[in-house]
Amino acid sequence: MNENPADLAPELCVLIAAVLGLVNGLFLPRARQWWVAGVCAAGLLAGLVVAGLAATRPDLAAFDAFAIDPITHVTRIAVLATTAAVIALAAATVRGHPRETEFYVLTMLSALGAITLGASSDLLVLVAAYLLASIPAYALAGFGKDAPGTEAALKYYLMGAFLGILMLAGATLLYGVGRGTAYGPLRDGLGTAPAAAVGAAVVALLAGLLFKAGAVPGHYWVPDVAEGAPPVVAAFATTVPKIGAFAALLRFGADALPPGTFDWAPLVAVVAAATMTLGNLAAFGQDNVRRLLAYSTVSQAGYLLVPVAMAARGDLAEPALLYYAAAYAVTNLGAFAVVVAVGRDDLDGYTGLLRASPLLGASLAVCLLGLVGTPPTAVFVGKVLMFGAALDGHYAWLAVLAAVNSVASVFYYLRWIVPTFGKPRPGLRPARAPTAIAVALAAASLALGLASGIALSL
Amino acid sequence: MTVLSLVIFLPLAAALGLAAVPRAPRRAVLAAWIGTSAVDLALVAALWIRYGTGGGAGSDGIAYEENARWIPSVGAGYHVGVDGLSMPLLALTALLFLACAVYSVRQEHRLRAFAVLFLFLETVCLGLFAALDLLLFFVFFDLSIVGMYFVILLWGHGERARSALTFFLYTFLGSLVLLLGFIGLYLGADPHTFDMVELIRRPPLDGSPGLAALTLLAIGIGLGVKTPVVPFHTWLPPAHTDAPAAGSAVLAGIMLKMGTYGLVRIAMPMLPDAWRRYAWVPLVIGLLGVLYGALVALAQDDLKRLVAYTSVNHMGYVVLALGAAGFSGGTAARELAVSGAVTQMVSHGLVTGALFLLCGVLSDRAGSYAIGRYGGVARGAPVFAGLTAVAAFASLGLPGLSGFVAEFQIFTGAIGAGRAGVAAAAALSVLGVLVTAGLFLRVLHRVLLGGPGELTGRVTDVRRPELAAIAPLLVLSLAVGVAPRPLLDTIAPLSDAVVALVAR
C-alpha cells in the first residue's frame, strides 16, 4: 500500500496555505490582511506547480482511497487555477473587510474539499470531502450578513444537510450490500448484491453529488446563492465545487459499479436531460444577470452530466467531462468576473458596456458566446467531445436534446450581449482589477479552445 | 505558413489591427479595409492562375495543402487546401467582399466596427471554403452565423433584432445538427478522424446503412438550413429584408453557398451509398425549392424579399443537380450536372450579390423596397437601370450570361442521366425559369419603365463607388456567360472526381 504523503503535495500546499493564512490573519491588523491573500495565492500557485509535475508521472493510489490519475490531475489543476482567480477577484473586492481573512481561508478549504471530492475512490472519503467542500461554502454564502445572503446561506445549508444525509445513507447501504467502501472491492462485492438495494443506494448517493454539481433535483440553491451571496462567492460556489462533484460522479460511474447490476447510464441521462432543459427554461425570463447565470450554470451542469452518464460506455466520456468541466469553470468564472467588475445585477446596467469598456464588453461576449458553445472557445471543444461521447454511447436522443437546448440557450445569452452594443449609460465605470481578471479569463477560454490539442494530450 | 493560410488570415489580422486603433480616421479605415480585401483578391487570383497552369496540385488534385496538428487526440487538424471546387468559391468570396468594401465607402454608421466585422467574416468564409477538416469547417461555419448575426443586428433596418435572432437561432440549430452528423462520421471512421481527405478516401459507416442514413440526414438538415432548402428556408426572407445591403450580398452571395458546398465536399463523397440510395430526396427537395421559390417570389411586392426568394429558387437548382448526380446513369451527364451545380453557385454569388447591392442603392435613395412605389426609374437613373436589367437577365438565365451556363448544364445533365423520373423533375424545374423570367420582367417593367411612381423622383443614379462595386460582378457574369472555359476547366476534374466517388 502506498502511503507516501508526498503524493498529496498539491493538497498539502492548499491546506498549509489555509492554516498559515488563518494564523496570520489572527495577528495582522485589518489594513494589512491582504497579506493573507498573498499567502493563499502562493499556496495555490505552489499547488499548481506540484500538480503539474505530478501529472507527468504514472497513475497511482495513495492511502487506498485517493486516486492519483488523469481525473485527479485535471481536477487539481482546474480547481487550483480557478480558485486562484477567485482569490484575485476577492482581493479586489473584500479588501479591508472585517472578515477578510475568513473569506480567503474558507475559500481555500472549500477548494480543498472539491479536489478531494474529485480524487476520492472510497465512499467514506467521498462523504468527508463532500462536507469539507460544503460547510465552508455555506458560511461563504452568508458572508455579506445581509438578508438575501442569510436566506441564500440558509437554503444552501438546509439543502446541503438534507441531501448530505441521503448521501451518507446511500454510502451506508452500499457498504452493507457491497461489503466495502473502496471502489475496487465495492465493484466486486456489488456483482452479487440485490439490484433494488444497489439502485436505491446509488440514487441516494447521487442526491448529494448532484447537489454539489448544482443539477436537478439538487439545484434549488443555485439561483439563491448566485443572487443573494456576494458576487465573488457566487462565482466561487457555482464553479469550483462543481468541478470536484463532476469528477466524483464520473469516477463513481466508471469505477464503482459492476456492469450488469445497475444501469447507470439511463438514470443519469434522464437527470442530465431534465437538468439542461429546466435550467434553460428557467433562465429565459431572468432580468437579474446573476440569476440568469445561475440558471445557465444549471443547464451547463446538464451538459456536463452527459459524459457522466456515458462513463462506462466509451473512451470519449472521460476526456469530454474533464475538458468540459475545466472549460466551463474558466468561462463561467469569466462571466461572473464581468459582473463583479461592472457591479450591476440588472440587464439594463450593461447597456453600452462595449463602448464604455471595449475589452470588458468583448470579454463578456466571448464568455457568453463561449457558454453557448461557439467556436473557437474552450466550451466548444468540450461540447464537441460531449456530443461525441453521447453518440458513441448510443444515446443519440440525448445528443439531440443537448443540441436543441444549446440553441435555446442562445436566446437568453443574447439578451445580455445585445444591450452592450447600445449607448453607454452615464456612470458605467467598471472596476479596474476585476476587469483585468475578466479579460484574462476570457482570453484563457479562447486560448484553451485554440490550443485544445495541447490540453487534451495531457 | 503557406500562401493559402495567409490569404485566409490576412483579413482577420487587418480586423484585429483596426480594432486596436479606436480613433482611426475614416479614410484610414476605408483604405485599410479596401486595401486588405484587394490584396486578398489579388492573392487568390494568383493562386488560381498558378493552379490553372497545373502548379502546386498534389496527386489528389489538392493544391496549397497545409496540415498542422490541432487536436490530435480526436484526429482533428488545421488542414486546408484548394481544389476545383474551392478555388472558384474562394475567388468569389474575395471578390464579393471587395465589392462590399467598395460599396460601403459612404457608410456613416460605425464604419470601423462594420469594417472589422466584414474583415472577420471574410476570413471565416475563406477559411470555410479551404477547410479540409470537419471540425475546422464547423468552426468557420458557426462563426459565420455569429458574425452575420451582428451585421444584421447592428446595421440592419426594420425589425432587425427579431430577424437577426430568428437567423441566429435557426441556423445555429442547423449547425448543431450538422455537428452531430460530423460526429457520426467521426465515430464511423476507423480510425476515428475528422480529416476530410481521410474520410473521403475510406468512406465511414460503410457497413451500416442505417447509421449512414441517419448521419446523412443530420448533415443534410444542417446544410439544408444554411442553403436553404424549402422546408427550412423561413429564416431567409426576414434576414435578407432587414440586413444592410452589403450584409445581404455576403449572406446570399457567399454564405448560402456554404450549404451546397458542404453537400459536394462532405455529404456526397463521404456517404456515397446513402447519397445514392436517397438521391431522390435532394432531387425532390431541389425541385420544390425551384418551384416554390419562384412562385413565392412572384407574389412579392418588396424588391429585396423578391430577390431573397429567387435565391431559394436558384439554390434549388443546385440541390436538384446534386440529387440527379446520385442516380445511376450516364457518367458524362452526371458530371455535367455537378459542374452545372458548381457553376450555379458562382453565378448566383455574382448576380445575387449585385442584385442586393442594387436594392441597397434604391433603399439608400428612397428608403423603400416597395416595387409599387417606383416606376420609370430608368429616365432619371439610366446607369442604375442598365445594371439592374443586366443583373435581372443574368438571374433569369438569359444566354450570354452566367446563369444560363449553369442552368443549361444542370438541365442537360439531369435530363441526360437517362432516368425518366430525373428527367421529369428537370423538365418541371424548367418551369421555374419561366416563372423567374416573368417576375423579373415584371420588376423591370414596374420599377424601371412606365410612368413615375411616388418615390421615383428621389432615385438618383448610381455613384461612382457603387458602380465600381457592382459593375465588376456583372462583367464577370457576362464573362462566364460568354467564355465559360476557364471556370469549367477548373471545375471539370472536381466534378469528375465527385461523380466517381459517389458511384463507388
Side-chain angles (χ1 to χ4, degrees), chain A residues 192-229:
Chain A
T192 53
V198 178
V202 170
V203 169
L205 190 77
L206 266 182
L209 289 176
L210 290 178
F211 162 79
K212 276 277 86 173
V216 171
H219 69 287
Y220 291 100
W221 61 272
V222 182
D224 290 301
V225 170
E227 188 188 7

Side-chain angles (χ1 to χ4, degrees), chain A residues 355 369 372 374-375 380 384-385 387-388 391-392 399 403 406-407 410-411 414 418 421 449-450 452-453 456, chain B residues 70-74 110 135 138-139 142-143 146 149-150 153-154 165 168-169 172-173 176 179-180 183 187:
Chain A
R355 288 203 197 172
L369 286 175
V372 172
T374 311
F380 161 69
V384 171
L385 292 169
F387 285 133
L391 291 180
D392 202 20
S406 298
V407 174
V410 170
F411 178 75
L414 284 183
V418 170
F421 287 93
L450 288 173
S452 46
L456 272 171
Chain B
W70 177 31
I71 318 179
S73 53
V74 295
R110 288 178 150 185
L135 214 54
F138 182 80
V139 167
D142 227 23
L143 285 177
V146 177
Y149 167 78
F150 287 117
L153 177 78
L154 298 176
L165 187 63
F168 197 137
L169 292 180
F172 192 65
L173 179 64
L176 285 182
L179 179 62
L180 292 183
I183 294 172
L187 292 171

Side-chain angles (χ1 to χ4, degrees), chain B residues 110-446:
Chain B
R110 288 178 150 185
L111 178 71
R112 191 174 62 99
F114 197 66
V116 167
L117 207 48
F118 265 75
L119 287 167
F120 166 76
L121 272 174
E122 184 167 0
T123 285
V124 167
C125 294
L126 290 169
L128 183 128
F129 291 128
L132 288 177
D133 183 280
L134 290 179
L135 214 54
L136 191 66
F137 179 93
F138 182 80
V139 167
F140 289 126
F141 193 87
D142 227 23
L143 285 177
S144 75
I145 298 171
V146 177
M148 189 45 76
Y149 167 78
F150 287 117
V151 169
I152 301 176
L153 177 78
L154 298 176
W155 289 275
H157 38 250
E159 289 191 33
R160 57 190 183 177
R162 197 188 153 88
S163 301
L165 187 63
T166 313
F167 164 77
F168 197 137
L169 292 180
Y170 214 135
T171 50
F172 192 65
L173 179 64
S175 84
L176 285 182
V177 176
L178 181 69
L179 179 62
L180 292 183
F182 283 179
I183 294 172
L185 288 175
Y186 165 77
L187 292 171
D190 188 29
H192 294 344
T193 180
F194 280 109
D195 192 271
M196 289 192 196
V197 179
E198 285 294 316
L199 286 166
I200 290 171
R201 194 175 299 147
R202 274 185 304 236
L205 300 165
D206 224 3
S208 42
L211 283 177
L214 274 179
T215 308
L216 181 62
L217 180 70
I219 292 176
I221 290 179
L223 296 172
V225 168
K226 190 90 176 180
T227 302
V229 297
V230 146
F232 307 121
H233 69 286
T234 43
W235 61 267
L236 178 119
H240 270 308
T241 314
D242 296 337
S248 287
V250 166
L251 180 57
I254 297 162
M255 286 170 62
L256 299 192
K257 309 299 170 299
M258 294 177 178
T260 45
Y261 172 84
L263 289 178
V264 183
R265 165 76 67 213
I266 297 162
M268 295 173 71
M270 290 183 200
L271 296 162
D273 286 332
W275 187 267
R276 280 203 310 275
R277 190 167 323 120
Y278 300 102
W280 58 272
V281 178
L283 190 76
V284 170
I285 284 184
L287 177 62
L288 269 178
V290 166
L291 296 179
Y292 179 84
L295 288 173
V296 178
L298 186 63
Q300 298 304 318
D301 278 327
D302 181 308
L303 186 59
K304 219 173 172 193
R305 262 184 118 79
L306 179 144
V307 178
Y309 274 109
T310 61
S311 292
V312 176
N313 162 279
H314 283 126
M315 298 316 279
Y317 292 118
V318 178
V319 177
L320 178 131
L322 298 179
F327 283 90
S328 59
T331 311
R334 286 184 292 144
E335 285 165 8
L336 203 57
V338 173
S339 165
V342 179
T343 316
Q344 174 77 327
M345 291 187 215
V346 177
S347 160
H348 177 258
L350 292 172
V351 174
T352 308
L355 274 172
F356 273 121
L357 292 182
L358 286 165
C359 287
V361 173
L362 214 52
S363 146
D364 176 62
R365 305 293 192 277
S368 168
Y369 299 118
I371 295 173
R373 299 174 72 187
Y374 295 97
V377 170
R379 200 163 306 134
V383 181
F384 172 81
L387 291 172
T388 310
V390 173
F393 284 127
S395 185
L396 63 82
L398 194 75
L401 291 157
S402 59
F404 174 74
V405 179
E407 283 162 22
F408 179 76
Q409 289 186 81
I410 292 173
F411 295 140
T412 317
I415 294 173
R419 283 293 198 90
V422 183
L428 276 174
S429 71
V430 176
L431 286 178
V433 180
L434 209 62
V435 178
T436 339
L439 73 93
F440 272 118
L441 290 177
R442 178 174 146 262
V443 167
L444 296 183
H445 182 73
R446 298 269 299 275

Side-chain angles (χ1 to χ4, degrees), chain A residues 33-442:
Chain A
Q33 295 217 333
W34 55 266
W35 170 247
V36 177
V39 170
C40 291
L44 289 168
L45 291 181
L48 264 177
V49 171
V50 185
L53 289 177
T56 59
R57 288 203 294 268
D59 296 355
L60 49 90
F63 301 98
D64 268 356
F66 197 97
I68 299 176
D69 57 4
I71 302 182
T72 305
H73 298 319
V74 176
T75 313
R76 274 173 174 172
I77 293 171
V79 167
L80 292 172
T82 44
T83 309
V86 168
I87 294 281
L89 210 52
T93 48
V94 298
R95 166 78 67 85
H97 192 282
R99 284 166 281 123
E100 193 180 348
T101 298
E102 283 88 326
F103 187 98
Y104 301 132
V105 172
L106 288 171
T107 307
M108 295 292 277
L109 290 175
S110 185
L112 182 60
I115 298 180
T116 319
L117 206 52
S120 59
S121 57
D122 186 302
L123 291 177
L124 289 177
V125 181
L126 187 72
V127 172
Y130 172 85
L131 294 174
L132 181 57
S134 301
I135 293 172
Y138 305 146
L140 280 175
F143 190 75
K145 271 194 174 175
D146 48 2
T150 313
E151 186 191 333
L154 195 64
K155 242 185 192 168
Y156 196 15
Y157 168 70
L158 286 177
M159 280 216 68
F162 171 61
L163 295 174
I165 295 291
L166 271 184
M167 181 181 176
L168 197 57
T172 315
L173 198 51
L174 278 175
Y175 176 51
V177 293
R179 289 177 224 95
T181 55
Y183 289 176
L186 200 57
R187 192 183 171 94
D188 301 332
L190 286 178
T192 53
V198 178
V202 170
V203 169
L205 190 77
L206 266 182
L209 289 176
L210 290 178
F211 162 79
K212 276 277 86 173
V216 171
H219 69 287
Y220 291 100
W221 61 272
V222 182
D224 290 301
V225 170
E227 188 188 7
V232 183
V233 175
F236 177 79
T238 58
T239 308
V240 178
K242 282 191 173 201
I243 306 171
F246 283 111
L249 281 163
L250 180 75
R251 191 187 294 283
F252 182 79
D255 292 352
L257 293 173
T261 25
F262 178 76
D263 237 349
W264 167 262
L267 174 71
V268 182
V270 168
V271 173
T275 304
M276 59 177 94
T277 311
L278 285 179
N280 264 333
L281 291 181
F284 275 130
Q286 302 301 334
D287 287 322
N288 180 308
V289 292
R290 283 204 263 159
R291 275 191 99 79
L292 189 151
L293 267 184
Y295 281 112
S296 122
T297 68
V298 173
S299 72
Q300 296 288 334
Y303 307 135
L304 276 158
L305 280 174
V306 172
V308 169
M310 302 301 138
R313 301 172 69 104
D315 304 331
L316 271 176
E318 189 179 307
L321 181 98
L322 297 176
Y323 195 82
Y324 199 147
Y328 157 78
V330 171
T331 314
N332 190 52
L333 205 56
F336 268 107
V338 176
V339 176
V340 174
V342 174
R344 288 276 297 254
D345 284 352
D346 53 328
L347 280 175
D348 291 340
Y350 292 80
T351 307
L353 180 63
L354 204 64
R355 288 203 197 172
S357 169
L359 271 179
L360 190 63
S363 304
L364 181 68
V366 165
C367 288
L368 293 184
L369 286 175
L371 287 173
V372 172
T374 311
T377 58
V379 175
F380 161 69
V381 181
K383 266 199 176 155
V384 171
L385 292 169
M386 179 269 284
F387 285 133
L391 291 180
D392 202 20
H394 301 292
Y395 269 74
W397 65 269
L398 195 57
V400 171
L401 190 72
V404 171
N405 266 303
S406 298
V407 174
S409 70
V410 170
F411 178 75
Y412 58 82
Y413 290 123
L414 284 183
R415 279 186 65 210
W416 192 358
I417 297 177
V418 170
T420 62
F421 287 93
K423 275 215 171 75
R425 65 178 169 82
L428 181 65
R429 273 199 205 83
R432 274 267 179 87
T435 300
I437 296 165
V439 172
L441 286 167

